[in-house]
Amino acid sequence: MSAAAAEPPVPPVGTRRARGAAGACRPVYDAASLLTVVVAEFNARGYDATSMEDLSLAAGISKSSFYHHVSGKEELLDLALQRALDGLFAILEERASRDGPPVERLHHIVRRQVEVLISELPYVTLLLRLRGNTETERRALARRRAFDATVAALVADAISEGQVRATVEPWLAARLLSGAINSIIDWYRPGRTGAEHLPDEVVRMVSEGILPPA
Amino acid sequence: MSAAAAEPPVPPVGTRRARGAAGACRPVYDAASLLTVVVAEFNARGYDATSMEDLSLAAGISKSSFYHHVSGKEELLDLALQRALDGLFAILEERASRDGPPVERLHHIVRRQVEVLISELPYVTLLLRLRGNTETERRALARRRAFDATVAALVADAISEGQVRATVEPWLAARLLSGAINSIIDWYRPGRTGAEHLPDEVVRMVSEGILPPA
DNA sequence: GTCTATAAGGAGATAGAC
DNA sequence: GTCTATCTCCTTATAGAC
């Protein structure tokens, strides 16, 4: 369990600006700036439960205005998911993810994955909650699985080289590791004090143990 | 990351029986037996994306037949969530969850939580993916948070009594623990061989560490 | 880049027969 | 306990003016 976040609001969370009010300036968007507002809405209710009407209210523009920027609701999802996945895969390209002993490469990846989850929180949150209902979603899930598989292979390497303790199932270790890291989207909220220590704390706890032994 | 499950199917996953075919027996349900079929559909696409039409096709009865058993789609969700939460809270009532040193009580709870996640997999899966869009969902999320808070308090006790290692943040430990355990719904599938060892394996790994230390 | 108006279809739910 | 037929509302998306 870890349902830490505030009770998700049912009404739109974005800033509602009076449309057409006397002297009021209407918000003017490009595709990128729209995405910020849209992704917050998707995360508040889930993609499927968020209507174009919800997005319209949150962004302060009419439903039809969205179709000037994107082809439809699904493209908004696609743009957000690409951003999340690009951030994750960039980690694997870093030198410290590719050179050195497996254990150290793995620790680097874990640390950086925590950092990316934090820096790209809304986008990764959307990714991690996908169900695979459309082709767009399934493409994103396939990329996500590829990322997981890369990390899992490295976990297996690190365990086989670092055998000092009782046998550990590499596959299970990779799953629990992912689960622990990804849970960040359920409880981390921007502005936490001490967030700069979080990546190292996570690395330490998954290495030394989360709970005291019996 | 941990998107292990097979590509979620968009069409209904349930058994489609020919309705009204010559000589065919129509499925006859009560509220409980309907729930099995319904929850599988909810999990395949997500609650919001699953229509009464989808449920109808999966169960092999017409949409309107559902309203003989329940008041509507939301009551189906409610029944499933109650089952998940009742299973989890029953753990906390067990003697071994209430008596003894905090560390041992905690290990028992973790072990049992893994068992319940496995035995009630579809129901707990539904619970863990809630967004809180309706009053029913928010009630369930509140109960879930209460469960988490109980475990988190015990984690804090166990850590303060078992200080042999470097300082551990109890709050973070509780979060990572929940994340690791709950990830089970993303990768465990019924019929796995060796599933009987999983609860103890999880307890061991969250205690001794998931990854080798540097 | 935004608007109003509207089309076309799918949603959850109900009525009443068998 | 299930059916067919229907209601009403809400959904995504488009047309065309400013």
Side-chain angles (χ1 to χ4, degrees), chain B residues 59-73:
Chain B
I61 60 177
S62 69
K63 284 195 289 179
S64 60
S65 294
F66 282 87
Y67 294 91
H68 178 79
H69 303 285
V70 292
S71 65
K73 189 182 166 186

Side-chain angles (χ1 to χ4, degrees), chain B residues 37-49:
Chain B
V37 177
V38 163
V39 169
E41 292 297 305
F42 285 165
N43 283 330
R45 271 175 301 260
Y47 173 74
D48 290 304

Side-chain angles (χ1 to χ4, degrees), chain A residues 157-206:
Chain A
D157 282 356
I159 288 175
S160 70
E161 290 203 11
Q163 280 307 0
V164 286
R165 289 190 293 233
T167 312
V168 169
E169 295 288 344
W171 188 85
L172 180 58
R175 298 295 181 163
L176 295 181
L177 176 65
S178 291
I181 296 173
N182 290 338
S183 74
I184 287 175
I185 65 165
D186 288 323
W187 48 263
Y188 179 82
R189 290 300 171 264
R192 292 180 56 82
T193 55
E196 65 277 12
H197 302 122
L198 195 53
D200 283 326
E201 280 285 289
V202 171
V203 171
R204 191 165 65 85
M205 295 180 82
V206 297

Side-chain angles (χ1 to χ4, degrees), chain A residues 35-36 39-40 43 79-91 112-128 184-185 188 190, chain B residues 1:
Chain A
L35 205 55
T36 308
V39 170
N43 282 329
L79 291 169
L81 297 177
Q82 280 178 36
R83 176 158 169 175
L85 286 160
D86 289 349
L88 289 170
F89 274 97
I91 296 171
R112 290 285 296 126
Q113 196 176 340
V114 172
E115 288 173 359
V116 170
L117 256 67
I118 289 174
S119 66
E120 303 292 311
L121 191 65
Y123 305 95
V124 180
T125 299
L126 199 54
L127 174 68
L128 294 181
I184 287 175
I185 65 165
Y188 179 82
Chain B
M1 314 286 97

Side-chain angles (χ1 to χ4, degrees), chain A:
Chain A
M1 313 283 96
S2 59
E7 212 79 287
V10 178
V13 294
T15 313
R16 174 73 164 94
R17 312 199 200 175
R19 282 185 284 171
C25 56
R26 288 182 297 205
V28 175
Y29 290 106
D30 56 21
S33 59
L34 253 189
L35 205 55
T36 308
V37 177
V38 163
V39 170
E41 292 297 306
F42 285 165
N43 282 329
R45 270 176 303 261
Y47 173 74
D48 290 304
T50 303
S51 69
M52 293 299 290
E53 165 91 2
D54 294 327
L55 300 180
S56 161
L57 292 170
I61 61 177
S62 70
K63 284 193 286 180
S64 61
S65 294
F66 281 88
Y67 294 90
H68 178 81
H69 302 285
V70 291
S71 64
K73 188 181 166 186
E74 195 169 349
E75 187 178 337
L76 291 166
L77 178 64
D78 199 32
L79 291 169
L81 297 177
Q82 280 178 36
R83 176 158 169 175
L85 286 160
D86 289 349
L88 289 170
F89 274 97
I91 296 171
L92 303 181
E93 300 302 317
E94 293 168 2
R95 164 155 310 186
S97 302
R98 305 166 64 94
D99 295 347
V103 173
E104 289 178 22
R105 291 160 58 197
L106 193 50
H107 286 193
H108 173 78
I109 290 173
V110 170
R111 189 178 298 110
R112 290 285 296 126
Q113 196 176 340
V114 172
E115 288 173 359
V116 170
L117 256 67
I118 289 174
S119 66
E120 303 292 311
L121 191 65
Y123 305 95
V124 180
T125 299
L126 199 54
L127 174 68
L128 294 181
R129 291 180 177 156
L130 283 191
R131 299 301 305 121
N133 291 333
T134 66
E135 196 50 43
T136 295
E137 296 183 44
R138 285 188 287 272
R139 259 199 316 275
L141 284 177
R143 286 186 72 191
R144 180 184 152 188
R145 270 196 295 278
F147 180 90
D148 284 347
T150 303
V151 175
L154 194 51
V155 168
D157 282 356
I159 288 175
S160 70
E161 290 203 11
Q163 280 307 0
V164 286
R165 289 190 293 233
T167 312
V168 169
E169 295 288 344
W171 188 85
L172 180 58
R175 298 295 181 163
L176 295 181
L177 176 65
S178 291
I181 296 173
N182 290 338
S183 74
I184 287 175
I185 65 165
D186 288 323
W187 48 263
Y188 179 82
R189 290 300 171 264
R192 292 180 56 82
T193 55
E196 65 277 12
H197 302 122
L198 195 53
D200 283 326
E201 280 285 289
V202 171
V203 171
R204 191 165 65 85
M205 295 180 82
V206 297
S207 300
E208 299 181 6
I210 296 169
L211 301 181

Side-chain angles (χ1 to χ4, degrees), chain B residues 140-178:
Chain B
L141 284 177
R143 284 187 72 191
R144 181 183 152 190
R145 271 196 293 278
F147 180 90
D148 284 347
T150 303
V151 176
L154 193 51
V155 168
D157 282 356
I159 289 175
S160 70
E161 290 204 9
Q163 280 306 358
V164 286
R165 289 190 293 234
T167 312
V168 169
E169 296 288 346
W171 187 85
L172 179 57
R175 297 295 179 164
L176 295 182
L177 176 66
S178 291

Side-chain angles (χ1 to χ4, degrees), chain B residues 46-126:
Chain B
Y47 173 74
D48 290 304
T50 303
S51 68
M52 294 299 289
E53 165 89 1
D54 294 326
L55 299 181
S56 161
L57 290 170
I61 60 177
S62 69
K63 284 195 289 179
S64 60
S65 294
F66 282 87
Y67 294 91
H68 178 79
H69 303 285
V70 292
S71 65
K73 189 182 166 186
E74 195 169 348
E75 187 178 337
L76 291 167
L77 178 64
D78 199 33
L79 291 170
L81 297 177
Q82 280 178 36
R83 175 155 169 177
L85 286 160
D86 288 350
L88 290 170
F89 274 97
I91 296 171
L92 303 181
E93 300 303 317
E94 294 168 1
R95 165 155 310 185
S97 301
R98 305 167 63 94
D99 293 346
V103 174
E104 290 178 22
R105 291 161 59 196
L106 192 50
H107 286 193
H108 173 79
I109 289 174
V110 170
R111 187 178 300 110
R112 290 285 297 126
Q113 196 176 340
V114 173
E115 289 173 359
V116 169
L117 256 66
I118 289 175
S119 65
E120 303 292 311
L121 190 65
Y123 305 95
V124 180
T125 298
L126 198 55

